[in-house]
Amino acid sequence: MIDDQAAARFRRLGALTIFAVYFVILVGGIVRASGAGMGCPDWPTCFGQWVPPTDESQLPANYHEIYAARGYENTAFNPVKTWTEYTNRLVGVTIGFLIFLTAWSSRIYLKADKTIFYLALSVFLLVGFQGWLGSAVVASNLKPLMITLHMLLALGIVALLIYAIARSQKPLLQAIDTHWLTPRFATVLKVAMGMTLLQIAMGTQVREAVDYIAHEHSYIDRQYWRDSFPIIFYVHRSFSSVILFTNLWLVWKIREQAAAGNLLLRLGYVLAGLIVTAILAGVTLDRLGFPAFAQPVHLLMANLIFGAQFFLFICLSYSANRAA
């Protein structure tokens, strides 16, 4: 028998951890959009210090030569970029502690449902690997492929967390009424999830190109960046329409029959809102000179969209299992 208070504590910790992971994705997007990724050219310290400097006078006079010898050419101290990257690291460390607490609190399921415990433990191990990958990103001098792998792993960590928390709520999810949804709905939902992953993959390629263009422009003159965008950007932009109408079809099908207050209906509205926000952020980037604030918002929305779709899929799966 699982203690209700312990189970509630596990769910609260898990939900807080999911929020924190999405927050670090947002902060990571800010780091990338602002060109602050090398604000701390070493890891785990920052300019050789555990607490970064606030002024260039706190660094050795020859720090340019020191870091150039380590493979980081043109290293220049910028307090805003340094503390933006350092904040990103602090949030990442905080997530490590939250993941540990979540994994520790999941031990109550060792007898009732071992899968939940092993999911939480897997997330804990993956976060450790994510920390190592973060150091490899810095060591690679921000190679685009390494940055993309870092982001995709964060997406996988969130998916495992969502599944673990949802599984702990299995009886509640089994009670959801889905008899009015046809098998076609589940098929379209799977296709929509695949399309989102494809769109995210294309988005990473666009961001890699943007990183190169931004570096060439020294992260200024943003209004001219679009002139150098690769073909994949236009494919990515056009594909968003397909994603929008596919997901709106899902929401419409839920709204047709779902009673007020139905969890799936609320999820559907959230999903629609996320997609519209993502598209608006994309349009802002495309038409308004690539403003820095829109880039991390666009990235966060893409990750949230997949998270919402995945949770909807879990709800549908558990409800379908109950019907069977």
Side-chain angles (χ1 to χ4, degrees):
M1 185 69 178
I2 298 176
D3 180 79
D4 290 341
Q5 289 186 344
R9 184 163 54 249
F10 167 73
R11 290 193 294 271
R12 285 196 299 268
L13 274 170
L16 179 61
T17 304
I18 291 171
F19 172 82
V21 173
Y22 279 126
F23 182 67
V24 81
I25 289 173
L26 176 63
V27 175
I30 293 172
V31 168
R32 196 165 181 180
S34 62
M38 293 305 292
C40 291
D42 47 354
W43 194 95
T45 57
C46 184
F47 284 103
Q49 303 176 30
W50 289 106
V51 178
T54 57
D55 190 86
E56 193 170 19
S57 62
Q58 297 172 287
L59 294 170
N62 65 333
Y63 80 92
H64 295 281
E65 290 79 7
I66 292 174
Y67 285 98
R70 297 178 184 177
Y72 306 114
E73 297 180 3
N74 302 318
T75 298
F77 175 74
N78 180 309
V80 175
K81 290 184 177 182
T82 292
W83 279 89
T84 299
E85 167 58 16
Y86 189 65
T87 300
N88 182 41
R89 295 183 183 186
L90 289 179
V91 175
V93 171
T94 302
I95 286 175
F97 285 115
L98 287 173
I99 291 289
F100 173 76
L101 292 174
T102 301
W104 178 253
S105 65
S106 71
R107 72 191 188 282
I108 62 172
Y109 291 98
L110 272 170
K111 292 183 178 179
D113 191 343
K114 290 183 179 180
T115 300
I116 295 175
F117 171 76
Y118 288 123
L119 283 168
L121 180 61
S122 297
V123 169
F124 176 69
L125 296 175
L126 282 173
V127 166
F129 179 73
Q130 179 80 323
W132 171 83
L133 189 58
S135 67
V137 168
V138 174
S140 72
N141 204 11
L142 302 182
K143 285 186 178 178
L145 178 61
M146 297 295 290
I147 296 174
T148 299
L149 288 174
H150 196 55
M151 189 277 291
L152 290 177
L153 183 57
L155 190 65
I157 288 171
V158 171
L160 289 176
L161 277 169
I162 291 173
Y163 181 47
I165 302 304
R167 191 178 177 97
S168 72
Q169 295 272 62
K170 190 173 180 178
L172 177 64
L173 300 182
Q174 286 177 327
I176 299 174
D177 180 18
T178 59
H179 75 277
W180 37 272
L181 288 176
T182 64
R184 183 185 179 190
F185 181 90
T187 301
V188 175
L189 176 57
K190 292 176 185 177
V191 171
M193 290 170 62
M195 289 166 58
T196 299
L197 288 176
L198 177 60
Q199 183 74 331
I200 290 174
M202 287 193 291
T204 60
Q205 294 181 53
V206 173
R207 285 194 298 275
E208 288 168 12
V210 169
D211 288 344
Y212 176 78
I213 295 167
H215 180 72
E216 290 294 300
H217 286 265
S218 301
Y219 291 88
I220 59 175
D221 298 326
R222 288 176 172 269
Q223 67 272 23
Y224 301 116
W225 293 6
R226 188 178 179 278
D227 297 338
S228 304
F229 281 178
I231 295 297
I232 192 67
F233 165 76
Y234 300 98
V235 178
H236 178 71
R237 184 181 65 180
S238 300
F239 196 54
S240 63
S241 299
V242 181
I243 289 179
L244 173 64
F245 290 115
T246 301
N247 284 275
L248 287 182
W249 182 89
L250 292 170
V251 177
W252 172 60
K253 283 297 180 182
I254 295 173
R255 191 176 182 278
E256 267 191 326
Q257 300 290 337
N262 186 295
L263 178 60
L264 297 188
L265 182 60
R266 294 199 295 269
L267 273 174
Y269 286 148
V270 168
L271 179 59
L274 291 172
I275 291 173
V276 170
T277 303
I279 290 176
L280 288 176
V283 170
T284 300
L285 289 168
D286 184 26
R287 300 298 181 184
L288 299 181
F290 223 81
F293 77 89
Q295 196 173 356
V297 172
H298 191 61
L299 172 64
L300 177 62
M301 291 302 107
N303 284 271
L304 286 171
I305 287 166
F306 181 77
Q309 290 173 331
F310 185 63
F311 184 49
L312 180 59
F313 175 73
I314 293 172
C315 293
L316 193 62
S317 299
Y318 282 148
S319 180
N321 287 340
R322 176 178 178 269

